[in-house]
């Protein structure tokens, strides 16, 4: 099921996207002994200038979705429409033309920035790849430093000379170098102190307003997702189990897993939330051997017999909200 971007036509539209990784054994023969379905048929749309927050526990496949969308990895199945063009199978020159529109901000700015390169070289890297003349690269780096709140003097310094927040600003400047239209922020503020997180979130929101960017905001911190997103998708073991308008998801979650995730977030009206508290027990099952039926049934506090044998599909709950749970029948 696709939830439409609420404001105008979609920039990104993903349909039945899948990424399966073969599991091999043996150093020489590398026999395939199984398959991890990291992403197993997800569909959603992101409108121009909108943010979809993608949440779930570690290992649920949300980062893999981000990497698929910017074609850092190839999908096993499904389509990725960028402004009406399916980019899921493009390669070589055809993909090169689209790559400048798709960028990625990584979680750990320290490990994603080359410590031997100056800030100028780091930010200019995507421009070099795109064949932009040197004089234009220098001018663009100056613009980008200003855009993300860094000083002109910073261009000759190295990553280790900056704080975590400043390094993430460098990572954002690099992502914006080619004037992209879509940016995946993969746990982009998770490694930062809370006060610095707020600064980077506000920077990303300001850049979205000024540049008309669309974001996929991948995070496990629901407080940040609530602040950042227009729509929210909740993933569990490679599939979306609930998706919809952020206000509806936070005010009236329909899926037991979403309810459990939200129970762990400090609520503004804590007393009201406490009454309906759902605790998430147990570990995420191995994606190599996921449970039959509803993959959440081994941890679900309200599971029924049917849940062990039949997988629920996403179905509309309200306008702009859908969830995959038998109890919604
Ligand atoms: Fe729980 Fe069953 Fe709904 Fe899955 S389908 S979330 S196990 S009630």
């Amino acid at each position: 099921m696709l939830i439409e971007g609420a404001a105008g036509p979609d920039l990104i539209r993903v349909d039945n996207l899948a990424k399966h990784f073969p599991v091999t054994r043996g150093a020489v023969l590398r026999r395939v002994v199984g398959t991890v379905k990291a992403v197993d048929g997800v569909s959603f749309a992101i409108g121009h200038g909108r943010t979809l927050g993608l949440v779930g526990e570690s290992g649920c496949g949300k980062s893999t979705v981000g990497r698929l969308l910017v074609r850092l990895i190839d999908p096993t199945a499904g389509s990725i429409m960028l402004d009406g063009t399916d980019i899921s199978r493009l390669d070589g020159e055809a993909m090169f033309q689209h790559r400048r529109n798709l960028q990625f901000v990584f979680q750990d700015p320290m490990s994603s920035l080359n410590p031997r390169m100056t800030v100028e070289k780091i930010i200019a890297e995507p421009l070099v790849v795109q064949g932009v003349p040197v004089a234009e690269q220098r001018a663009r780096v100056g613009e980008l430093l200003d855009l993300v709140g860094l000083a002109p003097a910073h261009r000759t310094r190295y990553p280790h000379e900056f704080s975590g927040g400043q390094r993430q600003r460098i990572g954002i400047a690099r992502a914006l170098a080619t004037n992209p239209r879509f940016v995946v922020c993969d746990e982009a503020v998770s490694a930062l102190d809370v006060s610095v997180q707020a600064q980077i979130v506000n920077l990303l929101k300001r850049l979205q307003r000024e540049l008309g960017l669309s974001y996929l905001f991948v995070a496990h911190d629901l407080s940040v997702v609530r602040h950042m997103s227009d729509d929210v998708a909740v993933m569990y073991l490679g599939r979306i189990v609930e998706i919809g308008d952020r206000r509806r998801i936070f005010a009236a979650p329909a899926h037991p897993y979403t309810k459990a995730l939200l129970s762990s977030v400090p609520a503004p009206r804590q007393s009201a939330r406490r009454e309906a508290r759902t605790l998430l027990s147990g570990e995420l099952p191995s994606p190599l051997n996921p449970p039959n039926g509803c993959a959440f049934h081994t941890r679900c506090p309200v599971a029924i017999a049917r849940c062990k044998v039949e997988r629920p599909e996403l179905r509309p709950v309200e306008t702009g909200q859908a969830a995959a749970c038998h109890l919604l029948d």
Side-chain angles (χ1 to χ4, degrees):
M1 164 160 196
L2 293 172
I3 294 286
E4 308 290 335
D10 307 323
L11 176 68
I12 292 278
R13 190 177 185 84
V14 167
D15 195 10
N16 270 321
L17 191 64
K19 180 64 183 178
H20 300 172
F21 294 102
V23 178
T24 57
R25 193 166 289 158
V28 181
L29 293 178
R30 300 187 69 77
R31 222 163 21 95
V32 176
V33 292
T35 305
V36 170
K37 295 180 177 176
V39 177
D40 193 22
V42 305
S43 303
F44 56 80
I46 306 175
H48 293 265
R50 307 269 299 175
T51 299
L52 175 69
L54 189 56
V55 302
E57 294 164 280
S58 294
C60 70
K62 56 192 191 300
S63 290
T64 306
V65 171
R67 281 160 200 269
L68 286 167
L69 260 54
V70 297
R71 292 292 314 277
L72 287 176
I73 52 176
D74 294 331
T76 307
S79 62
I80 305 166
M81 306 297 287
L82 172 66
D83 227 3
T85 302
D86 186 357
I87 61 163
S88 62
R89 301 286 179 274
L90 297 183
D91 54 17
E93 179 61 24
M95 189 59 218
F96 183 77
Q97 299 302 328
H98 291 283
R99 198 163 295 283
R100 56 181 291 279
N101 283 314
L102 307 164
Q103 291 296 335
F104 202 93
V105 176
F106 295 87
Q107 174 178 0
D108 182 357
M110 195 57 195
S111 62
S112 67
L113 305 177
N114 187 331
R116 293 190 187 83
M117 287 169 79
T118 61
V119 167
E120 166 133 34
K121 287 213 164 111
I122 289 170
I123 296 176
E125 223 178 355
L127 301 171
V128 174
V129 174
Q130 291 285 329
V132 173
V134 174
E136 277 180 44
Q137 288 176 28
R138 288 191 59 80
R140 181 74 181 133
V141 169
E143 282 171 19
L144 289 160
L145 287 171
D146 184 47
L147 196 61
V148 301
L150 292 172
H154 287 144
R155 65 165 72 214
T156 55
R157 300 203 190 151
Y158 291 85
H160 73 270
E161 298 177 71
F162 293 89
S163 67
Q166 286 176 316
R167 281 196 287 268
Q168 197 53 296
R169 286 174 194 267
I170 297 167
I172 293 168
R174 177 178 59 184
L176 298 181
T178 57
N179 256 326
R181 301 166 69 196
F182 175 67
V183 179
V184 172
C185 303
D186 185 9
E187 302 278 9
V189 298
S190 304
L192 305 173
D193 293 342
V194 173
S195 61
V196 182
Q197 275 188 2
Q199 292 168 17
I200 298 298
V201 163
N202 289 337
L203 171 66
L204 288 168
K205 286 182 77 91
R206 174 172 66 76
L207 293 170
Q208 182 171 49
R209 279 194 306 275
E210 291 177 4
L211 306 175
L213 296 167
S214 300
Y215 293 134
L216 178 74
F217 193 80
V218 177
H220 65 271
D221 183 341
L222 286 161
S223 317
V224 179
V225 169
R226 179 184 217 149
H227 190 64
M228 194 66 205
S229 310
D230 299 295
D231 302 295
V232 173
V234 181
M235 277 190 82
Y236 191 78
L237 280 179
R239 297 176 72 87
I240 289 176
V241 296
E242 182 157 8
I243 185 167
D245 177 87
R246 179 249 307 160
R247 281 158 300 190
R248 278 213 55 82
I249 297 275
F250 276 87
H255 195 282
Y257 181 57
T258 314
K259 289 177 187 172
L261 288 180
L262 290 180
S263 286
S264 63
V265 181
R269 288 179 290 117
Q270 189 66 39
S271 53
R273 175 68 54 74
R274 201 174 288 139
E275 285 165 24
R277 211 166 167 82
T278 311
L279 292 178
L280 193 56
S281 61
E283 299 287 317
L284 191 72
S286 165
L288 185 56
N289 188 20
N292 290 330
C294 174
F296 187 54
H297 84 255
T298 53
R299 304 166 79 192
C300 181
V302 290
I304 53 178
R306 181 182 172 196
C307 305
K308 295 183 182 173
V309 290
E310 192 182 329
R311 187 167 71 191
E313 297 299 328
L314 271 178
R315 68 203 68 195
V317 180
E318 285 283 339
T319 308
Q321 182 182 11
C325 176
H326 293 312
L327 299 187
L328 300 170
D329 282 356

Short mmCIF file of all heavy atoms in Angstrom, two decimals, residues 255-257 294-298 300-304 307 310 312 324-327, ligand 1:
data_model
loop_
_atom_site.label_atom_id
_atom_site.label_comp_id
_atom_site.label_asym_id
_atom_site.label_seq_id
_atom_site.Cartn_x
_atom_site.Cartn_y
_atom_site.Cartn_z
N HIS A 255 -1.02 -0.05 15.43
CA HIS A 255 -0.32 -1.34 15.48
C HIS A 255 0.29 -1.56 16.87
O HIS A 255 0.89 -0.63 17.42
CB HIS A 255 0.77 -1.37 14.40
CG HIS A 255 1.30 -2.74 14.14
ND1 HIS A 255 2.21 -3.36 14.97
CD2 HIS A 255 1.03 -3.62 13.15
CE1 HIS A 255 2.50 -4.56 14.48
NE2 HIS A 255 1.79 -4.74 13.38
N PRO A 256 0.16 -2.77 17.43
CA PRO A 256 0.73 -3.02 18.76
C PRO A 256 2.23 -2.70 18.85
O PRO A 256 2.71 -2.26 19.90
CB PRO A 256 0.48 -4.52 18.97
CG PRO A 256 -0.74 -4.80 18.16
CD PRO A 256 -0.62 -3.92 16.94
N TYR A 257 2.97 -2.89 17.76
CA TYR A 257 4.41 -2.57 17.81
C TYR A 257 4.62 -1.06 17.91
O TYR A 257 5.47 -0.60 18.69
CB TYR A 257 5.10 -3.14 16.56
CG TYR A 257 6.59 -2.88 16.53
CD1 TYR A 257 7.42 -3.31 17.55
CD2 TYR A 257 7.18 -2.19 15.46
CE1 TYR A 257 8.78 -3.09 17.53
CE2 TYR A 257 8.55 -1.96 15.42
CZ TYR A 257 9.35 -2.41 16.46
OH TYR A 257 10.70 -2.18 16.43
N CYS A 294 2.34 -13.32 11.39
CA CYS A 294 2.77 -11.96 11.72
C CYS A 294 4.13 -12.06 12.41
O CYS A 294 4.25 -12.73 13.46
CB CYS A 294 1.76 -11.29 12.65
SG CYS A 294 2.34 -9.67 13.22
N ALA A 295 5.13 -11.40 11.85
CA ALA A 295 6.49 -11.52 12.39
C ALA A 295 6.59 -11.01 13.82
O ALA A 295 7.52 -11.35 14.55
CB ALA A 295 7.46 -10.76 11.49
N PHE A 296 5.61 -10.20 14.24
CA PHE A 296 5.64 -9.62 15.59
C PHE A 296 4.97 -10.52 16.62
O PHE A 296 4.98 -10.21 17.81
CB PHE A 296 4.94 -8.24 15.54
CG PHE A 296 5.05 -7.44 16.81
CD1 PHE A 296 6.28 -7.16 17.40
CD2 PHE A 296 3.91 -6.95 17.44
CE1 PHE A 296 6.37 -6.44 18.58
CE2 PHE A 296 3.99 -6.22 18.61
CZ PHE A 296 5.22 -5.96 19.18
N HIS A 297 4.40 -11.69 16.19
CA HIS A 297 3.55 -12.43 17.12
C HIS A 297 4.31 -12.97 18.34
O HIS A 297 3.73 -13.18 19.39
CB HIS A 297 2.78 -13.56 16.40
CG HIS A 297 3.52 -14.84 16.22
ND1 HIS A 297 4.06 -15.24 15.02
CD2 HIS A 297 3.83 -15.84 17.10
CE1 HIS A 297 4.64 -16.42 15.16
NE2 HIS A 297 4.53 -16.79 16.41
N THR A 298 5.64 -13.19 18.19
CA THR A 298 6.40 -13.74 19.33
C THR A 298 6.56 -12.72 20.46
O THR A 298 6.92 -13.08 21.57
CB THR A 298 7.80 -14.19 18.88
OG1 THR A 298 8.43 -13.09 18.20
CG2 THR A 298 7.72 -15.38 17.93
N CYS A 300 4.12 -9.95 20.68
CA CYS A 300 2.91 -9.14 20.72
C CYS A 300 2.05 -9.49 21.94
O CYS A 300 1.68 -10.66 22.12
CB CYS A 300 2.12 -9.34 19.44
SG CYS A 300 0.62 -8.35 19.39
N PRO A 301 1.68 -8.52 22.76
CA PRO A 301 0.90 -8.82 23.97
C PRO A 301 -0.57 -9.14 23.68
O PRO A 301 -1.26 -9.62 24.56
CB PRO A 301 1.01 -7.52 24.79
CG PRO A 301 1.31 -6.45 23.80
CD PRO A 301 2.06 -7.09 22.67
N VAL A 302 -1.02 -8.89 22.45
CA VAL A 302 -2.44 -9.14 22.14
C VAL A 302 -2.61 -10.13 20.98
O VAL A 302 -3.64 -10.14 20.32
CB VAL A 302 -3.16 -7.81 21.83
CG1 VAL A 302 -3.31 -6.97 23.09
CG2 VAL A 302 -2.43 -7.01 20.74
N ALA A 303 -1.57 -10.95 20.75
CA ALA A 303 -1.63 -11.89 19.61
C ALA A 303 -2.76 -12.90 19.79
O ALA A 303 -3.09 -13.30 20.91
CB ALA A 303 -0.29 -12.62 19.50
N ILE A 304 -3.35 -13.34 18.66
CA ILE A 304 -4.37 -14.38 18.67
C ILE A 304 -3.85 -15.55 17.82
O ILE A 304 -2.80 -15.42 17.17
CB ILE A 304 -5.72 -13.83 18.11
CG1 ILE A 304 -5.49 -13.19 16.72
CG2 ILE A 304 -6.33 -12.82 19.06
CD1 ILE A 304 -6.74 -12.65 16.05
N CYS A 307 -2.57 -15.13 14.26
CA CYS A 307 -1.33 -14.36 14.05
C CYS A 307 -0.13 -15.28 13.76
O CYS A 307 0.83 -14.86 13.12
CB CYS A 307 -1.02 -13.50 15.26
SG CYS A 307 -2.37 -12.40 15.71
N GLU A 310 -0.94 -16.57 9.70
CA GLU A 310 -1.33 -15.70 8.58
C GLU A 310 -0.69 -14.32 8.74
O GLU A 310 -0.83 -13.69 9.79
CB GLU A 310 -2.86 -15.55 8.56
CG GLU A 310 -3.39 -14.92 7.30
CD GLU A 310 -4.91 -14.75 7.37
OE1 GLU A 310 -5.58 -15.58 8.03
OE2 GLU A 310 -5.39 -13.78 6.80
N PRO A 312 -0.50 -10.49 8.26
CA PRO A 312 -1.45 -9.41 7.95
C PRO A 312 -0.85 -8.45 6.92
O PRO A 312 0.36 -8.21 6.92
CB PRO A 312 -1.63 -8.71 9.30
CG PRO A 312 -0.36 -8.96 10.04
CD PRO A 312 0.16 -10.28 9.57
N ALA A 324 -0.71 -2.99 9.61
CA ALA A 324 -0.81 -4.42 9.28
C ALA A 324 -1.04 -5.20 10.56
O ALA A 324 -0.08 -5.54 11.26
CB ALA A 324 0.45 -4.87 8.57
N CYS A 325 -2.30 -5.46 10.90
CA CYS A 325 -2.63 -6.20 12.11
C CYS A 325 -3.99 -6.84 11.96
O CYS A 325 -4.94 -6.16 11.54
CB CYS A 325 -2.59 -5.26 13.32
SG CYS A 325 -3.10 -6.08 14.85
N HIS A 326 -4.11 -8.12 12.32
CA HIS A 326 -5.41 -8.82 12.20
C HIS A 326 -6.48 -8.20 13.07
O HIS A 326 -7.67 -8.33 12.77
CB HIS A 326 -5.24 -10.29 12.58
CG HIS A 326 -4.39 -11.06 11.60
ND1 HIS A 326 -4.58 -10.98 10.24
CD2 HIS A 326 -3.33 -11.91 11.79
CE1 HIS A 326 -3.70 -11.76 9.62
NE2 HIS A 326 -2.93 -12.32 10.54
N LEU A 327 -6.10 -7.56 14.16
CA LEU A 327 -7.11 -7.01 15.06
C LEU A 327 -7.85 -5.82 14.44
O LEU A 327 -8.84 -5.36 14.98
CB LEU A 327 -6.47 -6.57 16.38
CG LEU A 327 -5.78 -7.67 17.19
CD1 LEU A 327 -5.32 -7.14 18.54
CD2 LEU A 327 -6.69 -8.88 17.37
FE1 LIG B 1 -0.14 -8.67 17.22
FE2 LIG B 1 -1.49 -10.38 15.71
FE3 LIG B 1 -1.64 -7.78 15.20
FE4 LIG B 1 0.60 -9.15 14.70
S1 LIG B 1 -1.38 -9.42 13.71
S2 LIG B 1 0.46 -7.17 15.67
S3 LIG B 1 0.63 -10.59 16.41
S4 LIG B 1 -2.37 -8.84 17.04
#
